[in-house]
Amino acid sequence: MTPDEMARLHAAGFDQGRPWRADEFESLLASPTCFGVWTDGAFALGRAVGGEAELLTLVTDPKLRRQGRGRACLGAFEDEARTRHARSAFLEVAEDNHGARQLYAAAGYAGVGIRPNYYRRADQTVAAHLLSKALTSILSR
């Protein structure tokens, strides 16, 4: 998936806040610590360093949601993080993003903190929930 495709999908998938631009995706993907995984209509972007992986963004085309594409990308993100020797993964998710919070809970992510007033909305701010998960070895799964 190209940075332009990622930017288009990101803009379609997030109706709150500013979507990321193609040059931002290109810059992130140029870093040796960052990586992207995708399937038709969805992608995840993450980074792994120092035994930890961070999910930077995960997006599914709104017309293709609830078909397992986000779950598949999350699993692929975790697998790639393991190959990069990450022992844990973390992410942040908006308090009002109920679908994503359900996905992460079902995948075994647990709350480790809250950042109040983190995301700006047109008429309010929303907390970010910090979630984490231990990543077991691919060989032990």
Side-chain angles (χ1 to χ4, degrees), residues 55-75:
L55 180 65
L56 299 171
T57 192
L58 180 126
V59 62
T60 301
D61 184 322
K63 296 176 288 211
L64 301 174
R65 288 185 178 151
R66 312 231 23 110
Q67 298 178 16
R69 295 165 199 260
R71 184 175 56 248
C73 282
L74 183 59

Side-chain angles (χ1 to χ4, degrees), residues 19-85:
W20 296 4
R21 298 182 317 265
D23 65 309
E24 292 171 309
F25 283 111
E26 186 172 12
S27 178
L28 285 165
L29 290 168
S31 167
T33 62
C34 288
F35 59 93
V37 294
W38 46 84
T39 187
D40 185 38
F43 77 88
L45 181 69
R47 75 172 124 223
V49 64
E52 291 184 328
E54 177 184 12
L55 180 65
L56 299 171
T57 192
L58 180 126
V59 62
T60 301
D61 184 322
K63 296 176 288 211
L64 301 174
R65 288 185 178 151
R66 312 231 23 110
Q67 298 178 16
R69 295 165 199 260
R71 184 175 56 248
C73 282
L74 183 59
F77 157 79
E78 292 173 358
D79 287 345
E80 179 60 23
R82 286 182 193 95
T83 68
R84 292 168 179 253
H85 308 289

Side-chain angles (χ1 to χ4, degrees), residues 42 66 103 114:
R66 312 231 23 110
L103 170 69
I114 295 178

Side-chain angles (χ1 to χ4, degrees), residues 5-19:
E5 292 168 327
M6 295 170 95
R8 280 193 295 277
L9 186 53
H10 199 265
F14 287 96
D15 59 359
Q16 303 283 342
R18 182 187 68 78

